[in-house]
Amino acid sequence: MSASESRSTRTRGGASRIVAHAVLLGFGAVLLYPLLFMILAGFFTREEFNRTVLSAFPIPDRPTLANYKSLVTGTVTAAVTKYMGNTILRTVYSTLFAVLTSFLAGFVFSRLKFKGRGALFLVLLATQTIPLTIAIIPTYLEFARFPWAGGNDIFVGGTGILNTWWVYLIGGPAMNIMGMFLVKQSLEKVPIELDEAAKMDGAGTLRLMFQILFPLQLPVVAYIAITTALGTWNDFITPFFYTSSDDLLTLPGAIARLSSISSGAGGTINYPLIITLGLGNTIPAVLIFFFFQRYIVQGLANSGVKG
Amino acid sequence: MQRITAEGVADDRSGGSWKRFIKRHRDALLAAVILTPLIGFWLVVNGFPTMFGFVLGFFDWVGLTDRPSFAGLDNFIAFFQDPLYTGALWRSIWIGALVTVVTQAAGFGAALLMNMPLFGKGIYRTIWYIPAVTSTVATTQIFNLLLSPSNGIINNILISLGKEPIVWQYSVGWSIFWIVVYSVWKGVGAASLLWLAGLQSVDPTLYEAAEVDGAGRMARLRHVTIPGLKPIATFIFITSLVAAIQIYEQVLFITDGGPYSQTEVLVLRIYRDGFWDFNLGMAGASSLIMAILAMSITMIYYRWSSNSDRRTTIPIRGGGASRERK
């Protein structure tokens, strides 16, 4: 390749890079607009927000920090810090649960040989396609009324484990079947000779799993952890449907309640407060994502999703 | 599929029968020890409620205090005779398909750009993904502020331009348009990441070979990238279609099914039956129909992809590890 040719490819690459930057930035700004609107709206008081003719970039006459302060101090209308604490606890628990169970199940299906393995795996995968939303009502009934849960009769009465932490401990996470699938696919790229060598050196199964194979799965594990953490962080279904006390609400649950209560009662929605809660909910999630996003692509590329 | 290893044979001679049993079935026992609690837990939390919901589809159970009575297939017959339900089913399918196509096309385009050696790639990925990590409840409220008929931002802009304001909520077309816009807004970042992972898994030596052969940018896209992406493309389209036919939160919060239930989708109908009308029989029947729809889409995909290309799909027979053990 001559010098002039290489220069021309470089400039062409430079031009297309500028176009790429422009497109990614331009559409990125459109995608971010609702968030920017939220940040601006957070400076409004409820009264001013309701009487302002909203423009695309509303600026309050008398900006207030009260909404933002309530995120940290929890003083204004709601027990915001409590919600935040609940959200964090729940998210940490569900994430650890998902990582551990996905890895264990993925290990079983990639490394152990037993009768019916393929069939069991397929059945588990097939359940993945059943929409979880349709289980909300039966789950409510199960939590409220089944004898083991403290309800007295399947069809009538009882509150069971509703409104207790059990809702989050057992109702939040479940075996992450997508995670199991990804771990299995990724483990199958690790040559079986590695296992054999480790066993030769006297490593037991536990040691093989957690000291040798687990570290090799970090991209996939990170992917599972991030997606689970983000999913749990934003989940409003569990708190909204299965709890009613302030002590158990999470941020998304509180937002859902504030939106539905005020609209259901015919009152005006306290947009600035809801928006601030939404921001308080979004910012940690964005940070989690920003610091770990490269693992998402790497984790996906390492596992079965690739060609 | 029992295979007796050299090690296993040696143990058969030395150990007692109990020990021998454990040694021989070591894998199966270990699998049972790990899987039993996992699957048991899953059955209690997901499996049982889902099955319970399906079973309710064969019962009449209106109101949470009465006892259910067996209804046979009545709920399913009612489902297919009532345009409220068939309409919702049909809308779930076509709105889901529309959301999938638009989201994936935009996501693919973005992934092609993000795959270039650009400064600040991570920032772009984050910016595009941010909508996906926001809370649906909060951001749909922002869309409602944009679309409000009285003080909506878009209408305020239209008025300041001297145009007539539009009451979006009265129009089926506009309502669906905004539901699709919201869904694409929220989904495009995740889609682009999936495509990016796919692009990065295409063998780079193929590009080098194509370049040596004098293939230009478009030729490489056509002859290397797109064929290399075919397996992951079907995976992405099917999983996102299955997810998109189940969207309901944005419908609930943006149009609430209006005007006159003309934008109601099936999962929203299930939700309404269950929590508003306490018609658990119809909710169960609709759930079963939704599940059958979702599962048949997936099954068709696995059938089709295992015929054409079995690399991305779930190993239906045997499994990868046993292949590697050979």
Side-chain angles (χ1 to χ4, degrees), chain B residues 31-62:
Chain B
V33 167
I34 295 174
L35 287 183
T36 310
L38 289 186
I39 294 180
F41 188 86
W42 178 85
L43 280 176
V44 168
V45 179
N46 282 346
F48 175 76
T50 311
M51 296 317 292
F52 186 51
F54 293 161
V55 170
L56 283 179
F58 299 93
F59 285 82
D60 264 337
W61 193 11
V62 181

Side-chain angles (χ1 to χ4, degrees), chain B residues 80-92:
Chain B
F80 286 104
Q81 284 175 344
D82 189 342
L84 194 63
Y85 288 91
T86 48
L89 174 65
W90 175 235
R91 272 189 292 275
S92 286

Side-chain angles (χ1 to χ4, degrees), chain A residues 31 54 110-111 188 205 234, chain B residues 26 133 156 185 321 324-325:
Chain A
L31 291 174
L54 293 174
S110 79
R111 284 299 200 259
E188 280 173 2
T205 308
N234 279 324
Chain B
R26 206 186 141 275
V133 305
N156 287 345
W185 173 74
E324 276 158 7
R325 271 169 213 244

Side-chain angles (χ1 to χ4, degrees), chain A residues 13 16-17 20-21 23-25 27-28 30-35 37-38 49 52-56 97 101 104-105 107-114 117 120-122 124-127 129-139 141-142 145-146 148 153-156 169-171 173-175 177-178 181 184-185 188-190 192 205 209 230 234 236-237 240-241 252 255-256 259 269 271 274-275 278 281-282 285-286 289-290 293-294 296-297 300-301 304-307, chain B residues 1 3 26-28 30-31 34-35 38-39 41-42 44-46 48-50 52-54 56 61 64-68 110 113-114 116-119 122-139 141-146 151-153 156-157 185 188 193-194 196-197 200-201 217 228 231-232 235 242 246 248-249 253 267 270-271 273-275 280 283 287-288 290-291 294-295 298-299 302 311-316 318-322 324-325:
Chain A
S16 62
R17 247 179 255 178
H21 275 297
V23 172
L24 287 175
L25 260 186
F27 280 99
V30 175
L31 291 174
L32 278 190
Y33 167 70
L35 214 65
F37 182 87
M38 287 168 88
F49 191 82
T52 305
V53 177
L54 293 174
S55 67
F97 188 94
T101 55
L104 287 173
F107 173 82
V108 167
F109 283 107
S110 79
R111 284 299 200 259
L112 302 181
K113 291 176 77 180
F114 54 94
R117 182 179 78 169
L120 184 59
F121 187 69
L122 264 193
L124 285 177
L125 267 187
T127 61
T129 60
I130 299 175
L132 268 184
T133 331
I134 66 182
I136 294 176
I137 299 147
T139 306
L141 295 174
E142 186 186 18
R145 295 177 170 187
F146 271 59
W148 55 266
D153 187 304
I154 297 174
F155 300 112
V156 273
L169 292 179
I170 72 165
M175 197 169 132
I177 288 175
M178 197 62 202
F181 173 67
K184 174 187 185 291
Q185 298 292 92
E188 280 173 2
K189 298 213 167 127
V190 178
I192 200 88
T205 308
M209 283 164 78
L230 292 175
N234 279 324
F236 73 91
I237 305 268
F240 186 65
F241 287 114
I255 299 169
S259 323
I269 295 180
Y271 279 114
I274 287 178
I275 286 166
N281 192 55
T282 302
V286 171
F289 180 80
F290 179 69
Q293 44 86 17
R294 66 202 170 93
I296 292 192
V297 177
L300 282 171
V305 188
K306 71 177 274 181
Chain B
M1 292 259 292
R3 245 178 107 244
R26 206 186 141 275
D27 274 13
L30 188 57
I34 295 174
L35 287 183
L38 289 186
I39 294 180
F41 188 86
W42 178 85
V44 168
V45 179
N46 282 346
F48 175 76
T50 311
F52 186 51
F54 293 161
L56 283 179
W61 193 11
L64 285 173
T65 49
D66 221 1
R67 275 169 196 276
L113 298 178
M114 287 180 197
M116 291 167 70
L118 295 177
F119 176 74
I123 295 172
Y124 288 135
R125 287 182 198 169
T126 308
I127 290 178
W128 280 63
Y129 198 82
I130 281 175
V133 305
T134 58
S135 127
T136 308
V137 202
T139 48
Q141 298 299 342
I142 305 298
F143 267 64
N144 286 337
L145 282 172
L146 287 169
N151 189 18
I153 293 157
N156 287 345
I157 293 171
W185 173 74
V188 68
L193 282 189
L194 277 171
L196 197 55
Q200 297 192 347
S201 68
R217 187 182 296 273
I232 190 188
F235 175 86
V242 168
Q246 296 167 27
Y248 77 103
E249 290 164 359
F253 291 123
V267 178
I270 295 171
Y271 172 90
D273 270 339
F275 282 98
L280 295 177
S287 300
L288 189 51
M290 192 58 176
M295 285 184 86
T298 318
M299 284 302 144
Y302 284 135
R311 280 178 305 163
T312 38
T313 57
I314 297 95
I316 291 179
S322 58
E324 276 158 7
R325 271 169 213 244

Side-chain angles (χ1 to χ4, degrees), chain B residues 134-200:
Chain B
T134 58
S135 127
T136 308
V137 202
T139 48
T140 45
Q141 298 299 342
I142 305 298
F143 267 64
N144 286 337
L145 282 172
L146 287 169
L147 304 175
S148 160
S150 54
N151 189 18
I153 293 157
I154 299 180
N155 275 340
N156 287 345
I157 293 171
L158 284 178
I159 292 169
S160 71
L161 294 174
K163 298 221 164 57
E164 280 292 301
I166 299 169
V167 184
W168 315 96
Q169 286 78 0
Y170 284 173
S171 150
V172 180
W174 279 118
S175 296
I176 289 175
F177 174 80
W178 287 110
I179 290 167
V180 174
V181 167
Y182 180 86
S183 310
V184 173
W185 173 74
K186 194 149 174 133
V188 68
S192 66
L193 282 189
L194 277 171
W195 287 111
L196 197 55
L199 285 173
Q200 297 192 347

